[in-house]
Each structure stands twice: as C-alpha cells, then as structure tokens.
Amino acid sequence: MEKFVTFFVLLAIAFSTVQGAPHEEAHHDREEEHLEYLHDREFHLWLYEYYDGGKEHWADIYHTWRKNADYVKEHNSLGHLSYKLSLNKFAHKNISDMIKPEYFPHHHKYKKTHYEKHPTPHYVDWHKKGFIPPVKDREEHGDSYLYPFIDAFYAMWYISHHHESHHRESYEDYHHYPSFKEFKDCCWKEEEHHYWNHTRFECIHHHGGLAKAEDYKSPDHECLSHSHPAYYKLNGASFVKPKDEKALEIAVAYQPIAVAFDASHESFQFYKEGIYYEPDCSSEYLNHALLLVGYGEFEGKKYWIAKNSWGEKWGKDGFIYIAKDRDNHCGIASRAFYPY
C-alpha cells in the first residue's frame, strides 16, 4: 500500500512539474523581454540624443520605441521608395498620441484673384528667399497647427512691405514678429480647438490686427488687443479652390499658404528626407496643418515644400517635400487658404 501511495505522490509531482514548466518558461521569457531595454545599445544611443525623461520610464517606453525602430529600419531597407525615415525624438510615441482627430470642415469660399491670370515659375521657395521665420517646436504644446496661421500672416505682411529679404538665423532676429500670444488669446477658443478655418484670419481683422510679439503683454488667455496697438494688419482671408493643385501652385507663387494635411501615419512621424508619398494617405481626413512655402521638381518628380512645427530635428531641418500633382496627395489642396 505504501508503495502505491509513493507512486501516486511522485506521479503528481512529475505532472505538476511538467505542467509548471511552460508557465515558468513563459514567465522567464517575459522577464527577459522586460529587461531587454537594459541591453539594447541602439535604444541607449537614442536615449542619449533625444530623451529627457527619467530612467524610471525607460521600461515603459521601450516596447513602442522598439516597434518604431523596426518600422523605420524596414522602410529604409526598401530601395524603391522616394523618401527616407529617421528615428527622431518622437520614437517613443505612437502617431495616435501626436495626431488627434480634428474637424477641418469643407469651405467653398474662395475668390479668383489676379494670381490666376499669370504663369508660374518652375521653382518657388519662400524659405530660401528669407521670408519664412525659423521652425518652432510646438508639438508638445498641442498648438502646432496654429503656427501656419501666424506664419502665413507674417509672410504676407513681410512680402507686401519688402521687395527683398535678408537672411535671419533665429526667431530673435525677427524683432517684429506678430504676437502669437495675442493671436491665441483673442482668436482661439477651447470649443473651437479642432477647427481649421479662415475665420481665425477674420478674427485678426476684427481686432484690428496683431501687435509685435515683444509689445503684447497679458495674463494667460485674456485678450487685451484693445490696449495694444496693432502693427500687422490684414483685410481678410480666402480659400484656394478646393482640390485644385494648379490653383494652389499659382497661389503659393505669390505668398506662403496655410494648408491642412493628413499626417496620421508613422511615415510622416519619422519623415527625414526625399519626396513624401504615403499610399494610405487621405485627401479628406485631415488632422494637421503645414505652411506651404513653395514647389519644385527633381529628376522628373514634382514636389511641394512645406514647413512643419515639430522642431528642426524633424524632417529636412523642419521641412518636408510632398508629392505634387498626384491626386491631391494627403489633402494638400483640400483646405488651403491665405490672408490678404
């Protein structure tokens, strides 16, 4: 009897060992995966260059970072694509953390101008001409989509007041830049956070214009335009004919244009250089904003030149080249407007 008991006890132990082995192995694998970030040299090089968070967050961001690093590597290994990606400072984020669903409604208020009566040059770049302020890094502030408004306004004013520009290195060189704070205080409302429309320019007109950046002082969110003399003025704003890239080309030949854009793709998040073309882009689902500063052609491929507001380490020194005349790619011509 004792032998039978011993046999069943040993059998039970063996069975539990066999059953427990996969569990212990899985636990070990998870532990190794959890500690993988400690030995990933590529991850530590990225941390050194870009990350300013605490050590305690490394394990939390590693899985997303590794996924993005593999995506960038795979993309760049495909030799037939027209652009390259780079593992920039956003590598620890998902694109959904950066680009939120916005409401950029249709607008058909556009007016024909003398622009449409003139031929356009083969190449335009307002940035190289010196009319565009340096790139700002506003992604973390959640208001990066507002900067194309203020940059388009400034460029329009500067072009109309100066026949020639001069090269300036930083925002400090733009001593008379319009007050972004006044624009945000007076022409941005919480309930309209997701709206991309020309009424913001009309709001500037309603307030008589904008003061110089260094002159405007006010507590947060309090509009005090009435007590600050306006230095920059405009008459209104108009949309470029929707989805018409030729009309957009004509318009940007005369001044930079604020455009809405579908940026909800990892390819945009990690864009580095080359002519951007994303097959999954939408011309209707628009969720970001850029300042269109020109266009050109390279080896038979036409492109738009646009300025982002995610810092100079994103893209080509803060700019992106986008496929031109390819069915309104990413909605570049769907919601484009300018001040006048």
Side-chain angles (χ1 to χ4, degrees):
M1 182 68 181
E2 189 176 333
K3 286 183 178 179
F4 278 108
V5 173
T6 304
F7 172 78
F8 280 112
V9 169
L10 290 172
L11 186 63
I13 292 172
F15 182 75
S16 65
T17 303
V18 172
Q19 289 292 93
H23 173 73
E24 290 174 8
E25 189 177 332
H27 175 74
H28 180 69
D29 288 345
R30 284 197 301 271
E31 193 175 56
E32 278 198 348
E33 184 182 336
H34 180 69
L35 295 176
E36 188 181 349
Y37 75 93
L38 292 174
H39 310 290
D40 192 325
R41 184 172 177 273
E42 189 182 4
F43 179 57
H44 284 270
L45 288 172
W46 177 86
L47 287 170
Y48 179 78
E49 183 171 358
Y50 293 111
Y51 192 64
D52 55 6
K55 218 174 186 181
E56 66 274 14
H57 300 301
W58 290 5
D60 298 329
I61 67 173
Y62 180 72
H63 177 72
T64 299
W65 179 90
R66 185 71 263 169
K67 171 178 68 72
N68 288 331
D70 291 342
Y71 168 76
V72 168
K73 193 174 296 183
E74 181 182 2
H75 174 97
N76 288 341
S77 70
L78 303 174
H80 64 280
L81 299 177
S82 59
Y83 64 101
K84 295 290 185 182
L85 306 181
S86 107
L87 208 58
N88 56 35
K89 68 174 185 173
F90 305 122
H92 63 304
K93 296 183 178 185
N94 292 308
I95 187 64
S96 57
D97 299 327
M98 302 172 61
I99 299 294
K100 305 298 182 185
E102 305 284 359
Y103 177 49
F104 289 177
H106 284 280
H107 280 279
H108 299 289
K109 177 190 174 183
Y110 69 94
K111 65 174 191 174
K112 291 186 177 180
T113 68
H114 64 280
Y115 293 178
E116 299 182 31
K117 298 177 182 178
H118 293 272
T120 56
H122 295 296
Y123 174 77
V124 171
D125 189 343
W126 290 106
H127 171 57
K128 285 191 174 178
K129 289 181 178 181
F131 288 100
I132 307 299
V135 174
K136 291 285 273 185
D137 187 354
R138 300 298 300 186
E139 187 276 331
E140 305 246 345
H141 298 268
D143 57 9
S144 62
Y145 83 101
L146 291 175
Y147 260 86
F149 286 95
I150 203 80
D151 280 350
F153 176 36
Y154 175 80
M156 178 274 298
W157 181 91
Y158 196 84
I159 291 168
S160 65
H161 285 74
H162 299 80
H163 295 295
E164 293 183 1
S165 63
H166 59 281
H167 184 68
R168 289 158 290 185
E169 296 291 343
S170 68
Y171 263 91
E172 285 69 31
D173 294 327
Y174 286 74
H175 298 297
H176 303 305
Y177 192 72
S179 172
F180 181 77
K181 188 177 188 321
E182 182 182 9
F183 173 59
K184 199 170 179 181
D185 287 349
C186 302
C187 298
W188 181 90
K189 297 177 182 176
E190 186 64 36
E191 63 271 21
E192 294 181 352
H193 178 73
H194 301 302
Y195 276 66
W196 168 262
N197 55 49
H198 63 287
T199 58
R200 297 193 192 278
F201 284 128
E202 292 176 354
C203 174
I204 294 174
H205 178 61
H206 172 75
H207 286 282
L210 291 177
K212 299 174 186 175
E214 68 270 24
D215 291 342
Y216 182 80
K217 312 292 180 186
S218 81
D220 285 347
H221 309 307
E222 184 178 353
C223 178
L224 295 179
S225 62
H226 60 277
S227 59
H228 294 81
Y231 186 81
Y232 301 93
K233 299 180 180 181
L234 51 71
N235 295 312
S238 178
F239 269 79
V240 178
K241 187 177 181 180
K243 303 181 182 180
D244 188 333
E245 289 191 73
K246 183 58 182 177
L248 185 59
E249 176 185 308
I250 293 168
V252 78
Y254 282 85
Q255 66 183 87
I257 309 293
V259 299
F261 194 79
D262 175 17
S264 61
H265 307 276
E266 286 83 358
S267 56
F268 184 86
Q269 180 180 357
F270 299 113
Y271 169 81
K272 178 59 181 175
E273 61 186 4
I275 300 176
Y276 181 74
Y277 182 80
E278 170 55 64
D280 293 330
C281 242
S282 170
S283 61
E284 298 295 334
Y285 179 77
L286 309 180
N287 39 60
H288 191 51
L290 303 168
L291 181 72
L292 195 66
V293 301
Y295 58 83
E297 185 174 341
F298 178 72
E299 295 183 347
K301 295 180 179 178
K302 295 180 180 180
Y303 60 84
W304 297 106
I305 309 168
K307 175 189 177 187
N308 199 7
S309 301
W310 287 358
E312 293 183 341
K313 289 188 176 181
W314 177 88
K316 190 72 173 175
D317 301 321
F319 289 78
I320 180 171
Y321 299 89
I322 301 161
K324 181 177 179 289
D325 295 340
R326 295 195 66 177
D327 298 321
N328 184 27
H329 191 55
C330 297
I332 189 82
S334 293
R335 319 276 195 281
F337 55 85
Y338 57 92
Y340 58 87

